[in-house]
Amino acid sequence: MAFTLRQLQFFVAVAEQGSVSRAAQNLSISQSSVTEAVKELEGDLGVELFDRHPRGLTITHKGHQFLRHATKILADVSDARRTFSGHQERGGGRLQLGVTSLVAGYVLSDLLARYRRGFPGVEIGAIEDNGDYLEHLLVGGELDVAVMVISNLRDRMALQAEILEVSPYRLWLPLGHPLSSADIIGINDIVTEPLIMLTVDEIEENTGKLLAALGARPHVAFRTRSVEAVRSLVATGAGIALLPDLVYRPWSLEGDRIESRDISGSLPVVQVGMVWRRGSGLTQAARDFIGVAQGQRMMRRLGGQAR
């Protein structure tokens, strides 16, 4: 029996939420329906997508690989629906797009691929830079839209923003780290650990503020602008990391496992969104891009097209 879109949606929901119960709540269906769908999908594929343990589910390496395929299939189906629902391909035009470093490889790539498929005649110019400079370009009319971290957006009077994704901070640990088996992890449990610090966008600033507010002086073992470097360093035991779940992947490039755990207490979140100049007459290309982004956000929430 071939797998269904319903099974793919349920699998993606469990992978994103990290538990069957949260996925079922997000989908507004029973937990048994989600569990049954995932088991049927595993039976059809002949692989285990999740490791089951008393604390919940952990996606396997093969599950992580299949997640990319499942997400792309659902995106393609959403594009096909849009093609035949009145959003027909329009002519040319130009889109001037900005993006911050953190979201370039984690949000923009899929979004831009969907936009190109829907509007292949649009010429796209893109620039990657820090948030302050992108805000300057937006206010000056040199960019139509930016996809960026908007948690600390400076000029909210001149700019309009719409949230695409909210990502909480979580703790990254190497496999077998003593904290990985703790029932509750607090900030005080990690302040003595060597910290791998990511220095893109406001991540370093947010992490520093969080620890400083709790009177903790972090022991920074390494600073880097590369998320892949953070993964490799954490996976090989050089330190731990406190990063938004947006950029978490359970494997380093070398194939070493990385654990992710919640931390008790009030932690900041990273908001990723679209930003454009308030009151400006958006081009058709920009309006279409915003529409595609809104559609992708709704699909992430699994709004029930195939329920």
Side-chain angles (χ1 to χ4, degrees), residues 101-119:
S101 300
L102 186 68
V103 303
Y106 299 94
V107 176
L108 184 68
S109 54
D110 288 343
L111 177 55
L112 201 55
R114 293 185 64 200
Y115 180 73
R116 287 184 184 278
R117 289 196 297 269
F119 305 94

Side-chain angles (χ1 to χ4, degrees), residues 102 196-200 203-204 224-227 230 243 247:
L102 186 68
I196 311 300
M197 186 81 80
L198 185 65
T199 60
V200 297
I203 300 302
E204 182 175 20
T224 176
R225 293 183 58 84
S226 168
V227 179
V230 174
L243 289 173
V247 298

Side-chain angles (χ1 to χ4, degrees), residues 109-294:
S109 54
D110 288 343
L111 177 55
L112 201 55
R114 293 185 64 200
Y115 180 73
R116 287 184 184 278
R117 289 196 297 269
F119 305 94
V122 176
E123 181 184 353
I124 301 172
I127 180 173
E128 177 185 323
D129 216 302
N130 64 60
D132 287 344
Y133 186 58
L134 294 184
E135 286 191 43
H136 168 73
L137 295 180
L138 286 165
V139 172
E142 297 175 65
L143 290 178
D144 297 312
V145 186
V147 181
M148 56 190 288
V149 174
I150 63 172
S151 312
N152 295 332
L153 195 66
R154 268 67 172 178
D155 199 344
R156 294 186 180 271
M157 294 295 292
L159 298 172
Q160 185 170 340
E162 182 170 329
I163 295 174
L164 290 177
E165 186 168 338
V166 177
S167 183
Y169 276 73
R170 301 190 80 201
L171 181 65
W172 294 12
L173 300 163
L175 187 65
H177 191 282
L179 288 177
S180 63
S181 59
D183 292 331
I184 300 175
I185 301 174
I187 289 294
N188 290 336
D189 295 320
I190 69 173
V191 293
T192 59
E193 298 281 342
L195 186 67
I196 311 300
M197 186 81 80
L198 185 65
T199 60
V200 297
D201 293 340
E202 69 259 32
I203 300 302
E204 182 175 20
E205 178 185 351
N206 279 353
T207 306
K209 284 181 179 178
L210 170 66
L211 295 172
L214 296 169
R217 187 182 182 89
H219 169 209
V220 180
F222 200 90
R223 284 183 167 87
T224 176
R225 293 183 58 84
S226 168
V227 179
E228 294 299 343
V230 174
R231 289 197 187 99
S232 295
L233 289 164
V234 170
T236 54
I240 63 173
L242 191 59
L243 289 173
D245 209 34
L246 169 72
V247 298
Y248 172 71
R249 301 292 183 271
W251 307 94
S252 70
L253 286 176
E254 297 80 13
D256 297 315
R257 177 81 187 187
I258 302 163
E259 301 285 341
S260 176
R261 294 289 182 269
D262 291 324
I263 300 179
S264 63
S266 179
L267 271 70
V269 297
V270 166
Q271 296 175 331
V272 176
M274 297 176 291
V275 185
W276 59 93
R277 187 173 60 175
R278 190 180 296 276
S280 64
L282 290 171
T283 65
Q284 185 62 56
R287 287 197 295 270
D288 290 336
F289 180 83
I290 291 171
V292 169
Q294 290 169 335

